[in-house]
């Protein structure tokens, strides 16, 4: 048997040589059915030379002793992964045997040490030499090799990972883990345009209820559903973005723009007589309690900070005395922000409640809830959604200091989070948005709840065919921070280049996802998981771990609610997560979870008193595998880690199986 050629997919584990009783082909023992964990634990103590257990593209395991020119040539350019379990008492002997000669013909791409203590890692780190080598040509194989190419236990692993990134590597176009949300507006509100966006990467369409009539939003919903029916593929999710509680100025006379100069002193008032007669002496705002909550010295922003005022005094229960801080114009119905001030506005306005009822009637998949300030706000939204809207996912938009301060209680109640950086960058200093974004994304990742990064991500592409370099870096950093989804607003709603914007977002996400050290990231998330762990989450952890050890092509999960898929996504596997469900709503909202490819299994659930449960399971597994192969994220013959329940219904996930991506499955149960 020949060794793996450059470019072949391998998952290699260090081991000691096999005993004489092991069958051999030529001079290399073949391990066709012995799990790697059994192999290392069985044969480590009694071996005579150090080598690697390698799984090649033909899914054959073999033992390669690392001591001859032929073997070195066979393994050149590959990545070897050494798991925990090295015999510490024989550490120097192991190092001496494994040390590679510094000649071009005798290198491997990288040796990887999975060692559970610092001193052992440092000893190996000091003993080995790393060499550069050509990367395998198959993009999917490169990702797998990269994911196993650095030690998850060394303190410098992330730096080494980043230092070894290949800027010329282009991943397979079909496998993007991060979902893209596109706002639908006048430039894209048609079946043809929505399908155009889907073809280049759109997973979720968003309706912004700050603008537009119910008739307009109904047309978006109708077009999205028709687009999904005409263009087969993965489901298309629909999101309703609420206007939220807000503060606005009144109208000026004839809605004229009235100039005001920096340093001018004027009143901000809640007196109704100025509601339609605001000027540069008295400007009306519609928040009646503003004089109760704001303090002297605080800042008031109008029109996204175009105008700024300093509060000089609280004159009475209706009037604030303020000084204008910059030149500008007083205009009608502009938004007002009160940074560093806790407001007591209701969680939902009357318009918001009507909008939510509209969403329930039209069976939207998720609600982006604006200006969430506390956990109770989420409960209020659930109450309005009621029983008919119980499956609608609530995504809390964090847009002010209160939301940041109360983030932990909000995260506990919500289904997911949006880092809405537009208003957030006004409510808190712009320089702090960066910190708030990283904090919120990290907490969502630890909790296993989806997080969206939004606002001005590719803003310049609204009117330009190319983004700025800073915008592309912003998208990439959101992905490497851990965002499950990224969002486009004006770029696709009113922009001149909606298709190009989505394509740029797609390409940037693909590139950024390669910069994540998945193996060490998985180990960190697993170490942070609260104990004891629930059955479903334990299965999710085991599935991801198995997929890494096996070099699996995919994880396939059978689910009713999508919860199992969400928990697998939490642990960020290298391979795609194929989700098969009979629940159409869950299939659509599972786009919120990074790496999940949802497919709706339309076949009716059989009567299990007459039809065997396992037959139905097998049909769904075959369906999911075929859909993934058709989509291009799975190859025929790849190993697939399957996660399922022991019986039908929600909350019964407890079984992991490994099957080949073949039509007959050949199930092997663990």
């Amino acid at each position: 048997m020949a060794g793996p050629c450059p470019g072949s997919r391998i998952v290699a584990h260090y081991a000691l040589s096999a005993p004489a009783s092991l069958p051999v082909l030529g001079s290399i023992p073949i391990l066709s059915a012995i799990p790697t964990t059994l192999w290392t634990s069985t044969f480590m103590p009694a071996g005579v030379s150090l080598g690697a257990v390698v799984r090649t593209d033909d899914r054959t395991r073999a033992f390669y002793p690392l001591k001859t020119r032929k073997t070195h040539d066979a393994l050149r350019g590959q990545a070897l992964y050494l798991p925990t379990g090295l015999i510490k008492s024989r550490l120097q002997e192991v190092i001496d045997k494994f040390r590679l000669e510094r000649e071009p013909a005798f290198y491997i791409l990288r040796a990887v040490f999975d060692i559970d203590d610092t001193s052992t890692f440092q000893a190996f780190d000091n003993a080995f030499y790393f060499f550069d080598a050509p990367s395998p040509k198959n993009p999917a194989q490169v990702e797998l090799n990269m994911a196993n190419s650095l030690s998850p236990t060394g303190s410098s692993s992330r730096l080494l990972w980043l230092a070894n990134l290949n800027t010329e590597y282009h991943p397979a176009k079909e496998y993007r883990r991060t979902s893209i949300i596109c706002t639908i507006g006048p430039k894209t509100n048609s079946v043809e345009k929505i399908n155009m966006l889907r073809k280049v990467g759109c997973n979720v369409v968003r309706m912004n209820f700050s603008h537009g009539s119910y008739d307009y939003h109904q047309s978006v919903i109708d077009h999205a559903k028709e687009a999904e029916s005409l263009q087969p593929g993965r489901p298309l999710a629909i999101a309703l973005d609420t206007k939220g509680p807000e503060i606005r100025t009144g109208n000026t006379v004839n809605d004229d723009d009235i100039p005001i100069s920096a340093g001018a002193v004027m009143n901000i008032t809640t007196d109704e007589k100025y509601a339609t007669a605001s000027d540069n002496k008295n400007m009306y705002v519609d928040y009646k309690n503003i004089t109760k909550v704001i303090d002297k010295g605080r800042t008031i922003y109008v029109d996204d900070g175009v105008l700024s005022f300093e509060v000089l005094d609280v004159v009475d229960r209706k009037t604030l005395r303020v000084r204008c801080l910059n030149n500008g114009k007083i205009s009608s119905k502009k938004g007002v922000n009160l940074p560093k001030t806790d407001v007591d506005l209701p969680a939902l306005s009357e318009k918001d409640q009507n909008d939510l009822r509209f969403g329930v009637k039209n069976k939207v998949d998720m609600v982006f809830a604006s200006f969430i300030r506390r956990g109770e706000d989420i409960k209020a939204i659930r109450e309005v959604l009621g029983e008919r809207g119980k499956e609608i996912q609530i995504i809390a938009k964090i847009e002010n200091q209160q939301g940041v301060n109360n983030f932990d209680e909000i995260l506990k109640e919500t289904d997911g989070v949006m880092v809405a950086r537009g208003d957030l960058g006004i409510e808190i200093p712009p320089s702090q948005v960066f910190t708030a974004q990283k904090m919120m994304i990290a907490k969502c990742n630890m909790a296993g709840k989806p997080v969206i990064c939004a606002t001005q991500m590719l803003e310049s592409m609204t009117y330009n065919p190319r983004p700025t370099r800073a915008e592309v870096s912003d998208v990439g950093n959101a992905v490497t921070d851990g965002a499950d989804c990224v969002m486009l607003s004006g770029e696709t709603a009113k922009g001149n280049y909606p298709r190009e914007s989505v394509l740029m977002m797609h390409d940037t996400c693909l590139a950024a996802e390669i910069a994540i050290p998945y193996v060490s990231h998985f180990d960190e998330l697993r170490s942070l998981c609260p104990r004891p762990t629930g059955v479903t989450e334990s299965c999710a952890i085991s599935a991801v771990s198995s997929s890494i050890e096996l070099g699996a092509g995919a994880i396939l999960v059978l689910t009713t609610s999508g919860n199992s898929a969400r928990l697998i996504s939490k642990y960020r596997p290298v391979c795609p997560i194929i989700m098969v469900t009979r629940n159409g709503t869950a299939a659509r909202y599972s786009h919120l979870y990074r790496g999940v490819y949802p497919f709706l299994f339309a076949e009716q659930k059989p009567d299990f008193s007459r039809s065997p449960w396992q037959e139905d399971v097998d049909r769904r597994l075959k369906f999911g595998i075929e859909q993934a192969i058709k989509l291009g994220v799975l190859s025929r013959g790849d190993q697939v880690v399957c996660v399922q329940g022991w019986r039908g219904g929600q909350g019964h996930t407890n079984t992991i199986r490994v099957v080949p991506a073949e039509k007959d499955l050949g199930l092997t149960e663990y």
Side-chain angles (χ1 to χ4, degrees), residues 14-17 47-51 65-68 72 90-101 124 127-128:
Y14 117 90
L16 300 176
S17 60
V48 294
S49 66
L50 192 67
L66 299 180
K67 60 183 181 181
T68 67
H72 284 210
R90 299 173 60 191
L91 178 60
Q92 191 57 49
E93 179 184 351
V94 171
I95 290 174
D96 291 341
K97 286 181 180 294
F98 200 86
R99 193 194 309 264
L100 304 179
E101 299 178 43
F124 266 78
F128 283 85

Side-chain angles (χ1 to χ4, degrees), residues 4-241:
C5 63
S8 66
R9 176 187 295 182
I10 68 170
V11 177
H13 295 261
Y14 117 90
L16 300 176
S17 60
S21 60
L22 193 71
V24 297
L25 177 63
S27 61
I28 300 175
I30 304 300
L31 307 178
S32 59
I34 303 177
T36 303
T37 51
L38 178 61
W39 164 246
T40 54
S41 62
T42 302
F43 299 123
M44 264 189 355
V48 294
S49 66
L50 192 67
V53 178
V54 178
R55 186 179 74 78
T56 64
D57 277 342
D58 62 3
R59 296 174 297 287
T60 302
R61 283 198 176 87
F63 176 80
Y64 293 89
L66 299 180
K67 60 183 181 181
T68 67
R69 175 182 294 271
K70 180 178 180 181
T71 304
H72 284 210
D73 286 343
L75 291 175
R76 185 174 61 189
Q78 304 304 313
L80 298 183
Y81 174 67
L82 284 68
T84 303
L86 291 168
I87 306 170
K88 296 178 184 177
S89 62
R90 299 173 60 191
L91 178 60
Q92 191 57 49
E93 179 184 351
V94 171
I95 290 174
D96 291 341
K97 286 181 180 294
F98 200 86
R99 193 194 309 264
L100 304 179
E101 299 178 43
R102 298 192 60 162
E103 297 180 20
F106 290 94
Y107 65 79
I108 57 175
L109 177 61
R110 188 163 291 107
V112 183
F113 324 121
D114 184 1
I115 302 170
D116 56 7
D117 68 277
T118 304
S119 61
T120 308
F121 172 76
Q122 289 175 342
F124 266 78
D125 195 33
N126 294 333
F128 283 85
Y129 302 105
F130 295 148
F131 298 86
D132 293 328
S135 297
K137 294 180 180 179
N138 187 313
Q141 294 168 0
V142 175
E143 287 196 43
L144 185 61
N145 288 348
M146 288 176 66
N148 287 287
S149 64
L150 289 172
S151 166
T153 58
S155 60
S156 60
S157 62
R158 180 173 174 80
L159 284 177
L160 284 173
W161 176 275
L162 295 175
N164 283 278
L165 290 176
N166 181 357
T167 58
E168 296 182 358
Y169 170 63
H170 298 286
K173 290 291 183 184
E174 294 86 356
Y175 184 26
R176 168 176 45 83
R177 300 167 177 87
T178 312
S179 289
I180 297 174
I181 301 169
C182 298
T183 304
I184 302 302
K187 292 292 183 72
T188 49
N189 185 19
S190 70
V191 173
E192 295 75 22
K193 293 290 186 179
I194 290 173
N195 272 338
M196 174 192 74
L197 298 181
R198 291 179 71 203
K199 285 179 180 178
V200 291
C202 174
N203 305 110
V204 181
V205 297
R206 167 184 175 253
M207 301 175 290
N208 185 357
F209 273 65
S210 293
H211 311 285
S213 64
Y214 285 136
D215 287 343
Y216 174 79
H217 293 305
Q218 186 68 58
S219 71
V220 173
I221 293 170
D222 293 343
H223 290 155
K225 290 182 177 180
E226 185 178 352
E228 183 183 27
S229 66
L230 292 177
Q231 182 172 295
R234 286 180 291 158
L236 178 66
I238 300 174
L240 185 161
D241 197 326

Side-chain angles (χ1 to χ4, degrees), residues 372 396-400 403-404 407 410 417-420 424 440:
I372 297 298
K397 294 174 66 177
I398 307 300
E399 304 183 77
N400 50 41
V404 174
F407 185 76
I410 293 171
V417 169
M418 180 187 291
V419 184
L424 187 61
M440 288 187 279

